[in-house]
Amino acid sequence: DPARAEGEFRAEAKLAPGSATAAFKLGLTLAQRGQMAAALAEFDRADRLRPDMPETLLEAGKARAATGDAAGAEKALTRVVELESRGALAEAAWLQLASVYRKTGRA
């Protein structure tokens, strides 16, 4: 239940404001509920608390792409690929990058 999860993750984030994991989880829940601006704020907070966490950058890239911020999405997704050259996260980042490139008319 995303609505209930949001409340629980908000409480967790309030109890541990320095937790990148709590901010990330809250961001995921908000993104699932379609609240991309709020999700991005949490992903950005998670990135400030624990820079270069590939999972956070991937989700931030997806959210930025969904809101039309192609440049921001490209930056986040490219960083994921730099950090994770192989594996599921790299594959997901490449797939998202391809989508961003198509939308912006780049090959």
Side-chain angles (χ1 to χ4, degrees):
D1 178 24
R4 193 172 118 213
E6 179 185 344
E8 290 177 15
F9 289 134
R10 281 193 188 281
E12 184 179 346
K14 194 172 201 173
L15 287 172
S19 170
T21 302
F24 174 71
K25 289 178 184 178
L26 179 55
L28 278 177
T29 302
L30 292 167
Q32 288 175 344
R33 298 193 70 205
Q35 300 173 17
M36 291 304 176
L40 278 170
E42 292 302 321
F43 293 141
D44 288 345
R45 186 167 72 90
D47 191 51
R48 282 191 307 277
L49 292 167
R50 188 181 308 159
D52 287 339
M53 191 167 80
E55 295 85 351
T56 300
L57 293 168
L58 177 63
E59 295 303 326
K62 289 179 184 179
R64 289 191 196 305
T67 61
D69 179 7
E74 182 179 353
K75 181 178 176 186
L77 296 167
T78 300
R79 186 67 183 139
V80 173
V81 173
E82 291 169 356
L83 295 168
E84 299 280 326
S85 61
R86 294 188 173 153
L89 288 174
E91 290 172 13
W94 279 117
L95 182 63
Q96 291 295 317
L97 271 170
S99 178
V100 168
Y101 291 156
R102 271 193 307 277
K103 288 179 183 177
T104 59
R106 294 169 52 197

